[in-house]
Amino acid sequence: MNNLTKLLPLLPGAALLSGCGNAEKQAPRADRPNVIYLISDDLGIGDLSCYGATKVNTPNIDRLAREGRQFVNAYATSSTSTPSRFGLLTGMYPWRQANTGIAPGNSELIIDPDCYTMADLFHDEGYATAAIGKWHLGLGPKGGTDFNREIHPNTQDIGFDYEFIIPATVDRVPCVFVENGNVVGLDPNDPITVSYDHKVGDWPTGAENPELVKLKPSQGHNNTIINGIPRIGWMTGGKSALWVDEDIADVITERARNFITEHRDEPFFLYMGTQDVHVPRIPHPRFAGKSGLGTRGDVIIQLDWTVGEIMRTLDSLNIADNTIFVFCSDNGPVIDDGYADQARELLNGHTPMKDYRGGKYSAYEAGTRIPFIVRWPAKFRGEEVKTPFSMIDVFSSLASMLGHELPEGVAPDSRNKEAVLLGQERNTTDYVVQQNLNNTLSIISGDWKYIEPSDKPSFEHWTGMELGNAPKDQLYNITEDPSEQNDVAAANPEKVAELSALLEKVKAARQTR
Ligand code: NG6
Ligand code: CA
């Protein structure tokens, strides 16, 4: 932890240069399980047949769940992508650092290169490390990314040996892959220009040429049209580097399989982010129309295929047994997320949120409750895990599994829950903290969930979601009332006082682990 950081109080939203410390390098050690952390995008706990979905079939993820620990009370740290992933990789609550909200496609790298990340941990333990697929944590220096030269800092500056990434999300420009700091397939004579505040170049936009789009926006998403899809942000140039949306799942799955195959004889850590099932939902033709639920269902099937390909790769190399395979989502599900893809009309009774209230963006349960599966055949058999678990605790739990003691300041909010994650014994989780779109925090402890008062706007016009912001305390008994229908704050002042005090303690702490 740098000195300046030490002097600053850790307040929610406080602008810190870096809140997570650095650590001495450790000599590589042999004989370690491989770790694959596969994080899908906007997938709901109700989107998988192993979690009870009946309208969509996900046989590969179901197999992973059958063979692994299937968590039924797991939470992402945040209800949107950037902060959720920031929390996972740094072990620090994202609301402790400014600039961790949903990142534009030309954002600087929002993880300070001095910060000791989960990738650094594996790197220092002698693992080959890679980040493949959706990134959404920015790239390059303050002031934004120049896509026409080797971009630094990139993920290789925070512990990944290899990167092949979608810089932000698939609905944001630039629509190109970046491999080890360089845009893949870029013609230097056709440089890329990107802007998030004004039109650049003369490529058509959704606003000016709506007749040119193959997928209409329902909200926003009306800037530069790439492959017939209007995006967020404007770009021009880099024509030879543009991805083909239908092929993204194939491309990143192939890269992941290659990485695994190349490193079959040494321990590896693969952080893989799928673009599925985020908007725009564009299935490959072999999945299009296969779910009967429209493209949102089709990309769930595509995602299941991806997971199956990774599992088959491990099987064929005979390394599945000693590979920890984590599968999860970054935040809760959303049905209409800004494109008129008929997701709602074609639901056909499918319930991405199950019975939970809210969804992506929300402080209510469906905002952060996620599917979460951990398989490690060499160590444990399949079982359902009811103990609550937060993704923020993955970092310290895996460090503990490696016998790696984290120095003070590193992963400051990630607590060692190895016993819950990897099933050596049952223990209980004392509390879990989550954040909604505008940093309203909630805390779950035992049967109870407390949502702090918030005067923040609801943004319902573009999220289409209840964010859970209310000017007064909210309290729910999520064991008796998992759908959060009855706010029982008024009847339980002592519980409210207890949980709000606990939340304030977490907020004020420099380190909670
Ligand atoms: C919102 C976008 C939404 C999605 C989200 C980020 C609009 C109307 N909505 O601003 O489509 O991109 O940002 O999603 O533009 S996340 O899963 O990456 O956090
Ligand atoms: Ca997401």
Side-chain angles (χ1 to χ4, degrees), residues 40-43 79-82 85 134 136 169 278 329-332 360:
S40 60
D41 205 351
D42 297 0
L43 185 76
S79 61
T80 57
S81 158
T82 301
R85 291 155 199 259
K134 169 166 168 167
H136 212 186
T169 56
H278 198 281
S329 181
D330 65 338
N331 51 252
K360 178 177 178 176

Side-chain angles (χ1 to χ4, degrees), residues 194-377:
V194 169
S195 170
Y196 274 76
D197 56 43
H198 60 274
K199 181 175 173 177
V200 291
D202 58 2
W203 292 4
T205 66
E208 294 161 323
N209 291 94
E211 75 286 359
L212 296 181
V213 308
K214 69 175 183 192
L215 179 60
K216 288 195 180 68
S218 58
Q219 271 297 330
H221 297 110
N222 65 356
N223 305 144
T224 302
I225 301 172
I226 308 284
N227 302 337
I229 301 160
R231 315 278 167 159
I232 306 176
W234 293 267
M235 81 174 281
T236 189
K239 220 170 198 155
S240 59
L242 297 175
W243 66 51
V244 175
D245 292 79
E246 286 79 356
D247 293 343
I248 293 175
D250 284 354
V251 170
I252 62 174
T253 301
E254 166 91 17
R255 295 286 166 160
R257 294 188 46 174
N258 289 346
F259 174 79
I260 293 169
T261 306
E262 275 162 28
H263 297 283
R264 59 196 290 179
D265 294 326
E266 58 181 321
F268 61 80
F269 168 58
L270 168 61
Y271 171 79
M272 181 177 184
T274 67
Q275 88 290 8
D276 290 325
V277 300
H278 198 281
V279 295
R281 300 158 181 146
I282 311 290
H284 187 274
R286 67 185 188 281
F287 301 112
K290 290 288 149 58
S291 68
L293 305 179
T295 56
R296 189 176 184 283
D298 297 344
V299 297
I300 293 174
I301 292 178
Q302 181 165 277
L303 170 68
D304 186 64
W305 169 85
T306 297
V307 174
E309 285 303 291
I310 304 297
M311 289 165 76
R312 274 187 283 283
T313 305
L314 297 174
D315 290 340
S316 72
L317 298 171
N318 212 8
I319 56 173
D321 255 20
N322 205 29
T323 298
I324 298 177
F325 192 149
V326 182
F327 172 82
C328 67
S329 181
D330 65 338
N331 51 252
V334 54
I335 297 167
D336 179 341
D337 203 21
Y339 288 100
D341 57 8
Q342 289 199 294
R344 188 171 304 283
E345 294 83 337
L346 298 173
L347 272 178
N348 188 29
H350 176 61
T351 50
M353 288 84 171
K354 279 188 115 168
D355 292 334
Y356 298 110
R357 186 169 174 184
K360 178 177 178 176
Y361 309 114
S362 180
Y364 294 123
E365 285 293 275
T368 47
R369 231 176 216 278
I370 45 165
F372 191 93
I373 299 164
V374 186
R375 187 185 76 164
W376 189 4

